[in-house]
Amino acid sequence: METFTIDNGSVDALSKELHRFGVMDLYRMSHTAHLEGPTVGAYCIQRFIFNQYSARIPFKVKIGEGTRLGYSSLGTVLHPDTIIGKNCLTGQNVTLGSRGDSTPVVGNKVYIGRQMPRREDRQRRGRCQRCRHL
């Protein structure tokens, strides 16, 4: 019988099953496993998320219903004590961290990511001299 380790990225029955789920589904499974006791399973799923999606989403994070991590949470890093409200959306390469005693807390219906420049701001800058687009 082969020993399963998520660390080496081996492909076996468990990892094939985990590929069927999205990032938020995997997070919810690891969070539930953490709350119900088998933390070994929670660590395995957390490690799978890191290897597959390059994202650090600890099972201790509290994420509300309807929250989505855009672009398969590519590059997302969350502090273990982070609390994210309901119906939020994060873009890629988002980091919510802490350097002290404070805990990152995000309210409901919040978008976290790079802000696209408004159309008025693009028009104010003028046209690009090389390719003539806004």
Side-chain angles (χ1 to χ4, degrees):
M1 183 169 173
E2 182 181 343
T3 304
F4 175 73
T5 61
I6 294 283
D7 293 332
N8 64 14
S10 63
V11 177
D12 61 356
L14 179 59
S15 63
K16 285 180 184 177
E17 287 299 314
L18 291 178
H19 279 286
R20 296 179 346 162
F21 299 102
V23 175
M24 288 306 294
D25 297 326
L26 292 169
Y27 156 74
R28 300 238 185 263
M29 289 188 322
S30 67
H31 187 70
T32 302
H34 166 67
L35 293 176
E36 294 180 0
T39 56
V40 173
Y43 279 110
C44 286
I45 296 170
Q46 179 180 316
R47 186 54 127 173
F48 179 81
I49 291 171
F50 177 72
N51 287 335
Q52 184 65 27
Y53 299 102
S54 298
R56 289 257 185 224
I57 304 174
F59 50 80
K60 294 181 181 180
V61 172
K62 295 176 182 152
I63 300 178
E65 296 176 11
T67 295
R68 296 176 293 142
L69 303 175
Y71 301 101
S72 298
S73 74
L74 183 65
T76 301
V77 179
L78 302 177
H79 187 276
D81 297 331
T82 301
I83 300 171
I84 300 176
K86 297 179 183 179
N87 299 318
C88 295
L89 174 64
T90 65
Q92 64 188 19
N93 295 325
V94 169
T95 300
L96 295 176
S98 174
R99 286 192 172 170
D101 296 334
S102 63
T103 300
V105 177
V106 178
N108 297 331
K109 297 181 181 179
V110 175
Y111 170 74
I112 304 167
R114 183 179 182 274
Q115 179 180 351
M116 294 298 294
R118 296 179 308 193
R119 185 174 181 89
E120 300 85 33
D121 293 339
R122 290 189 308 240
Q123 289 174 344
R124 201 174 308 131
R125 284 187 297 192
R127 296 190 177 273
C128 175
Q129 296 302 314
R130 187 174 58 178
C131 54
R132 303 285 182 204
H133 72 277
L134 286 180

